[in-house]
Amino acid sequence: MYRRQLLTTMASLASLEAVSARAGTRPRAFVTDPQVPLPPGSPDVPDPKLVPVASAARVWNCVTTTPDGKVFVSFPSCDRPGIQLARLLPGSVLRPFPDERWNALRGPSWTPADGFFLVNAIRIGPDGNLWVIDAGAPGIGQPAVPGAARLFVFDPDSGALIRTYDLAAGLRAGSYVDDIRFNGPTLYATDAGSAGLLVVNIASGRVRRVLDGHPLLSDRKPMRADGRLLRNDAGRPLKVQADQLEVTPDGRWLYVQPCSGPLARIATALLDDESAGAEALSRGLVPWLDTGTTGGTAIDANGVLYMSDVNRRRILRITPDRHVSVFLTDPRLIWSDAMWIDHDRRLWIPVTQQNRTHGFQGGTQSVIYPVWLYVVTIDAGPSPLDHA
């Protein structure tokens, strides 16, 4: 069933690696700054299972693939302005998607008709289309821009805009829409700027805000990466509210957490019940696992969670019965962000160095370019709820 995709993806990976080798950009054993020692407990030997496939000269944070092998990446503009959404071609070539106009640099006169404001995440949905999450704010902790927070649905082949979802009904003054997950007729979105969750009816576009300010969606623990406390541009401890989320393959549970952890869960039947009151919803969100600062997650068809531990440069594997093991540890995993599982049982890992950007280390920046995209083989495909 997936033979064509497998051949297409393998050819793309081979081309990407071949071009990297010709250009002299094949990664060394690991990329590090001699002035910044590896954090205590970090790995110092690369894992050969982790295969580099592409690189970029700006910080990316998200990757998604289509069944026929197209690869898309997004850039949250946390290091500097530039392209926000691109199709990734062999040779690490970036083609603006859907075109350059949508990706044009925003200015003080920006209006919703001008295109993207700030893309924070992308996903190929179960409908086969490319869903683009516009955070709607210039950064976490900054005021939301009226009309900017939206979900865009594009045809991944033609680039045609199919639909736009306005998320204004679910926002607060400090909202920053972070990411989404699908569950049949519903999708859920996290608000990393003002702790809360958005529940969106995909057919009608109706948006409800739930769990507003819930403690389990609020960043109450210090965020750390590579052994360092993360600080915003003003030098204060960085706070990233509701961030990672995953729906179990049976559609019964939503896992969700602030970037600092811990991981909580809630029954989707309760979330989807429009008659459920705030108190019932609040009681329904319960702690599930004590986790640390996380860059990104993915869930496979067996309900196994993959979670990046950015403080120790590793990927954790978490089973439905809450058994935690170390799946991968590698010195190159400097802030692994929004991961993706394809039908060839590959886990795609965008390594972003986001902890080295100015908004994460008190106004100074020390990203060592390029940033890399890796893949590693796992033992299951994606959740059927979430992929075409």
Side-chain angles (χ1 to χ4, degrees):
M1 178 178 180
Y2 302 117
R3 184 174 182 273
R4 184 176 66 173
Q5 180 201 1
L6 176 61
L7 294 174
T8 302
T9 305
M10 290 179 66
S12 297
L13 297 183
S15 298
L16 288 167
E17 287 209 273
V19 172
S20 295
R22 289 197 299 271
T25 58
R26 185 179 296 278
R28 294 163 283 171
F30 58 90
V31 180
T32 188
D33 183 341
Q35 303 302 315
V36 181
L38 288 171
S42 291
D44 56 7
V45 178
D47 190 322
K49 298 193 300 292
L50 190 64
V51 180
V53 296
S55 63
R58 283 180 60 240
V59 169
W60 47 28
N61 71 332
C62 200
V63 61
T64 190
T65 66
T66 64
D68 63 359
K70 295 182 182 67
V71 181
F72 297 89
V73 290
S74 62
F75 300 81
S77 302
C78 58
D79 52 346
R80 62 180 184 274
I83 189 174
Q84 298 194 59
L85 173 60
R87 181 174 171 195
L88 178 63
L89 302 175
S92 297
V93 173
L94 298 169
R95 177 186 295 167
F97 188 91
D99 55 35
E100 292 184 356
R101 184 191 70 80
W102 275 85
N103 285 274
L105 295 181
R106 60 183 183 275
S109 61
W110 179 92
T111 70
D114 293 332
F116 302 132
F117 185 78
L118 192 143
V119 172
N120 191 70
I122 54 175
R123 293 190 78 74
I124 295 294
D127 58 1
N129 293 317
L130 177 62
W131 291 68
V132 181
I133 298 89
D134 195 316
I140 294 173
Q142 300 184 47
V145 174
R150 294 165 292 175
L151 301 178
F152 299 103
V153 187
F154 291 98
D155 182 317
D157 297 320
S158 67
L161 178 64
I162 298 171
R163 186 168 179 181
T164 301
Y165 292 80
D166 186 345
L167 302 178
L171 304 182
R172 295 289 179 261
S175 287
Y176 183 99
V177 183
D178 189 86
D179 207 348
I180 63 171
R181 291 298 184 271
F182 299 93
N183 187 22
T186 306
L187 67 80
Y188 313 109
T190 45
D191 187 340
S194 182
L197 193 70
L198 307 186
V199 181
V200 181
N201 182 299
I202 294 174
S204 70
R206 173 175 161 77
V207 179
R208 294 184 294 122
R209 184 180 181 90
V210 299
L211 301 168
D212 192 25
H214 196 288
L216 288 173
L217 298 183
S218 303
D219 191 341
R220 299 179 294 163
K221 300 195 301 182
M223 290 179 58
R224 295 185 178 276
D226 284 358
R228 294 182 169 188
L229 179 68
L230 301 182
R231 298 184 180 275
N232 62 20
D233 278 320
R236 293 187 292 271
L238 180 65
K239 299 290 183 182
V240 180
Q241 315 298 341
D243 191 340
Q244 291 86 25
L245 74 167
E246 298 293 345
V247 178
T248 56
D250 59 10
R252 293 181 57 199
W253 299 98
L254 174 74
Y255 298 118
V256 62
Q257 68 170 27
C259 193
S260 61
L263 188 65
R265 77 172 187 175
I266 186 171
T268 56
L270 181 59
L271 275 179
D272 298 347
D273 183 359
E274 296 193 15
S275 67
E279 185 177 344
L281 285 163
S282 181
R283 289 197 309 268
L285 183 66
V286 297
W288 193 75
L289 187 69
D290 188 15
T291 54
T293 306
T294 304
T297 58
I299 194 167
D300 70 18
N302 296 325
V304 173
L305 282 166
Y306 293 87
M307 175 178 288
S308 69
D309 175 356
V310 296
N311 201 32
R312 295 178 177 85
R313 299 191 187 181
R314 60 187 186 174
I315 306 296
L316 303 177
R317 186 179 186 274
I318 306 168
T319 63
D321 61 359
R322 286 183 275 200
H323 175 72
V324 182
S325 59
V326 177
F327 170 70
L328 183 69
T329 180
D330 194 294
R332 295 170 292 178
L333 296 177
I334 308 172
W335 196 283
S336 304
D337 212 291
M339 295 177 282
W340 177 261
I341 298 172
D342 68 19
H343 286 293
D344 294 325
R345 299 186 175 187
R346 287 187 174 94
L347 180 68
W348 294 68
I349 308 172
V351 172
T352 71
Q353 300 186 51
Q354 196 160 343
N355 56 306
R356 294 178 169 182
T357 61
H358 58 84
F360 281 58
Q361 55 177 15
T364 62
Q365 190 152 290
S366 59
V367 177
I368 302 172
Y369 297 100
V371 298
W372 288 90
L373 176 63
Y374 298 93
V375 295
V376 62
T377 300
I378 59 176
D379 56 10
S383 165
L385 282 179
D386 200 52
H387 285 35

